[in-house]
Amino acid sequence: MAVPVAFFGLFFAYPVTAIVGRGLKAGGDWQFGRIGDVLARPDILDVLWFTTWQALASTALTLLIALPGAYVFARFDFPGKQLLRAVVTVPFVLPTVVVGTAFLALLGRGGLLDELWGVCLDTTVWAILLAHVFFNYAVVVRTVGGLWSQLDPRQEEAARVLGAGRFAAFRRVTLPALGPAVAAAALMVFLFTFTSFGVVQILGGPAYSTLEVEIYRQTAQLLDLPTAAVLTLVQFAAVGAILAVHAATVRRRERALKLVDPDLTSRRPRGPGQWALLGGVLLTALLLILLPLGVLVERSFDGAAGSGGYGLGYYRALQSAGSGGSSTFLVPPLEAVGNSLRYALVATLIALVVGGLAAAALTRRAGRLVRGFDALLMLPLGVSAVTVGFGFLITLDEPPLDLRTSWILVPLAQALVGVPFVVRTMLPVLRAVDDRLREAAAVLGASPLRAWREVDLPLVRRAVLVAAGFAFAVSLGEFGATVFIARPDNPTLPVAVARLLGRSGELNYGQAMALSTILMLVCAVSLLLLERIRTDRSGEF
């Protein structure tokens, strides 16, 4: 456990603590009175209110739309099920910048709905809420549907035989069993939407800010570190509370139920009602997921290079720096593709080493301290990535860790987000390995390292590949921290997209759509490969 603790202490706790300390100190003394002063400001209260209620609304809307999909994946067996499962999961691994760009192309000014019906939602809350549902649909489908598929349907059938109606049987038998999974999914959706950055940054405009967006604005634009520090503490406290409740619901879900093989619970739809439900879920996937992504691809070819038709002009323009008189980049934007792939590969390797060691340590030890460390590993998913990125710049600038000008800084920031996915993917599989196999290897003279190589690794090889796929995808799309530390001559794909969208002009907009399409395709291919090697026990994600 020493390596994961040292990694998180040095590259997460130290930068966050340092940046918060700079904001709350004046003349060497702590100024805790600033917390009350900042939280009393009307503009900050508006940010806190919007952050909270949009997260609650996004969570409720996601549950409403995604729970029927969870039921379909759990109980129905139909052609193309695995492909559809991969399709609905694609948005979850997409960078938030791409999600915001896709909905901008669909709902924004000059977007599809604006052209067809004059409907423009690019600066309304509805656009943000729908983008959040798009992003988190798979969280509910996988978390709730995974448990639902393992519930014995004969329990509900017995209630029906005893006279309960269909709804009563569901409410009294199935719903209580699903409660921990629904709560866990709702908490994760709330966490992701509460800390939303890229989606709100692109779609919200100046009128709407979440805590994360406001931290970025106060840090990068206004240089108001005290306000940013207070907002970071507020977000940290909220995320800590959410993760504590989530950990409790996960433990309850693991202990409370006797589960069955999912293959025994799924069957082909029967009757018009079930076929209609399946059709409704397919239509939802088409409208909610495929339509925004399709519009994103269409906009990357539409009116390319002023031709008035479709073509590859925007993609060709990516090959030259400063195209159209723009000084957005010092290098051709297309170089961001190679940069992102290299950074993501290094970040994946770091995440696998750190996350694998953490998962192995959590498997072999128990107790409250270990459970606390397990929860702490999830903090990078919720704590301000903007704070982490800015903290890197002001802390890792002196020997022996003078990394501010080093390329490794970007993969380190990306690995912080990848490690929780590695741990959550590998931990359930490692816990399923019979300890007697390790003991037998030790009796036969194998060292701990050889026992892990000969016993654990063959059993968890698929889980390692799945973990690597998720770590690669989320590293590729990390934006909050890399927007600070990616150098102008080595931009990543999400940073390049954000810079292009931040400049006026049709060419910049078209290049942003083209880069977003490339990034989407890379993430989608990674996920489809991941689904082919995935097993039912390959972790929580």
Side-chain angles (χ1 to χ4, degrees):
M1 192 180 288
V3 172
V5 170
F7 178 80
F8 274 86
L10 187 59
F11 297 113
F12 178 69
Y14 176 45
V16 171
T17 303
I19 193 69
V20 172
R22 286 204 177 191
L24 294 181
K25 276 187 176 181
D29 297 325
W30 289 96
Q31 303 291 327
F32 291 107
R34 289 178 175 176
I35 297 177
D37 295 338
V38 170
L39 295 181
R41 286 164 44 182
D43 59 324
I44 299 301
L45 291 176
D46 289 341
V47 170
L48 291 172
W49 169 243
F50 176 74
T51 302
T52 303
W53 84 255
Q54 67 81 25
L56 290 171
S58 297
T59 302
L61 192 59
T62 303
L63 290 174
L64 179 65
I65 295 176
L67 282 176
Y71 175 80
V72 165
F73 280 102
R75 293 304 194 208
F76 292 166
D77 187 19
F78 53 90
K81 180 177 178 179
Q82 287 300 110
L83 177 61
L84 182 61
R85 179 184 173 93
V87 167
V88 301
T89 311
V90 165
F92 181 67
V93 298
L94 283 180
T96 56
V97 172
V98 173
V99 175
T101 306
F103 276 82
L104 187 66
L106 177 64
L107 305 174
R109 300 185 190 280
L112 181 64
L113 295 187
D114 191 19
E115 290 181 353
L116 294 179
W117 299 298
V119 177
C120 175
L121 301 178
D122 61 328
T123 56
T124 70
V125 176
W126 274 110
I128 296 172
L129 297 183
L130 290 174
H132 284 160
V133 174
F134 169 91
F135 187 77
N136 293 291
Y137 184 88
V139 175
V140 177
V141 168
R142 284 184 174 267
T143 304
V144 180
L147 178 63
W148 210 334
S149 66
Q150 298 178 75
L151 295 181
D152 193 341
R154 292 173 297 184
Q155 297 178 359
E156 189 171 323
E157 293 169 0
R160 296 286 306 279
V161 170
L162 293 174
R166 184 181 298 274
F167 178 74
F170 171 79
R171 179 171 57 84
R172 295 179 180 178
V173 178
T174 305
L175 188 57
L178 287 176
V182 174
L187 286 166
M188 290 306 296
V189 173
F190 184 84
L191 173 66
F192 292 138
T193 54
F194 188 85
T195 59
S196 181
F197 178 51
V199 168
V200 179
Q201 177 81 350
I202 291 175
L203 294 176
Y208 300 102
S209 291
T210 57
L211 274 172
E212 185 79 352
V213 174
E214 189 64 19
I215 291 171
Y216 173 75
R217 191 174 77 90
Q218 296 290 339
T219 302
Q221 299 176 8
L222 303 180
L223 298 179
D224 187 352
L225 289 186
T227 298
V230 172
L231 296 182
T232 299
L233 289 176
V234 171
Q235 184 165 305
F236 184 85
V239 168
I242 294 169
L243 291 178
V245 177
H246 178 266
T249 59
V250 169
R251 288 196 299 272
R252 180 184 169 194
R253 182 180 63 188
E254 291 176 345
R255 291 197 304 257
L257 301 172
K258 182 178 181 181
L259 306 178
V260 298
D261 189 342
D263 294 335
L264 301 178
T265 65
S266 61
R267 52 178 172 74
R268 294 185 67 83
R270 299 174 184 173
Q274 293 188 354
W275 281 107
L277 179 60
L278 176 59
V281 170
L282 293 175
L283 182 62
T284 299
L286 175 65
L287 294 177
L288 178 67
I289 297 173
L290 295 183
L291 182 59
L293 298 181
V295 172
L296 176 67
V297 176
E298 187 267 344
R299 284 293 185 268
S300 72
F301 294 102
D302 186 25
S307 64
Y310 291 95
L312 297 174
Y314 292 142
Y315 289 90
R316 294 192 186 100
L318 296 176
Q319 301 176 36
S320 59
S323 54
S326 167
S327 59
T328 305
F329 297 99
L330 300 177
V331 296
L334 194 60
E335 287 194 12
V337 178
N339 294 336
S340 287
L341 292 175
R342 288 191 294 271
Y343 288 148
L345 287 172
V346 176
T348 300
L349 180 61
I350 296 172
L352 283 176
V353 173
V354 176
L357 291 173
L362 292 171
T363 303
R364 288 166 171 76
R365 303 180 185 182
R368 185 173 299 177
L369 181 61
V370 172
R371 289 197 300 270
F373 178 66
D374 189 11
L376 288 176
L377 292 173
M378 296 287 288
L379 280 178
L381 293 180
V383 171
S384 172
V386 170
T387 302
V388 174
F390 194 58
F392 271 27
L393 292 181
I394 67 170
T395 57
L396 304 179
D397 61 344
E398 296 179 357
L401 283 174
D402 187 3
L403 304 177
R404 188 163 55 178
T405 59
S406 173
W407 65 270
I408 195 64
L409 208 59
V410 173
L412 287 172
Q414 294 173 338
L416 282 172
V417 183
V419 168
F421 287 89
V422 173
V423 174
R424 298 266 70 81
T425 301
M426 294 184 61
L427 190 57
V429 183
L430 286 172
R431 284 174 173 166
V433 177
D434 194 337
D435 283 334
R436 292 174 295 183
L437 296 176
R438 301 186 184 103
E439 294 169 358
V443 170
L444 293 174
S447 64
L449 178 60
R450 184 177 180 184
W452 181 87
R453 188 177 68 246
E454 301 292 341
V455 176
D456 292 63
L457 185 59
L459 296 175
V460 302
R461 185 179 292 115
R462 283 178 177 265
V464 171
L465 294 175
V466 171
F470 269 118
F472 178 80
V474 298
S475 298
L476 197 66
E478 205 287 323
F479 175 60
T482 52
V483 72
F484 275 99
I485 58 181
R487 297 173 57 179
D489 57 342
N490 285 293
T492 63
L493 271 170
V495 172
V497 171
R499 288 179 184 172
L500 287 167
L501 287 175
R503 298 183 64 88
S504 60
E506 182 181 349
L507 183 57
N508 285 319
Y509 177 82
Q511 289 182 94
M513 296 296 163
L515 274 181
S516 296
T517 300
I518 293 172
L519 187 51
M520 176 196 70
L521 290 176
V522 173
C523 290
V525 169
S526 301
L527 184 66
L528 290 173
L529 293 175
L530 182 153
E531 283 294 325
R532 291 183 64 86
I533 63 175
R534 186 181 182 89
T535 64
D536 289 336
R537 297 169 66 185
S538 294
E540 297 176 20
F541 290 102

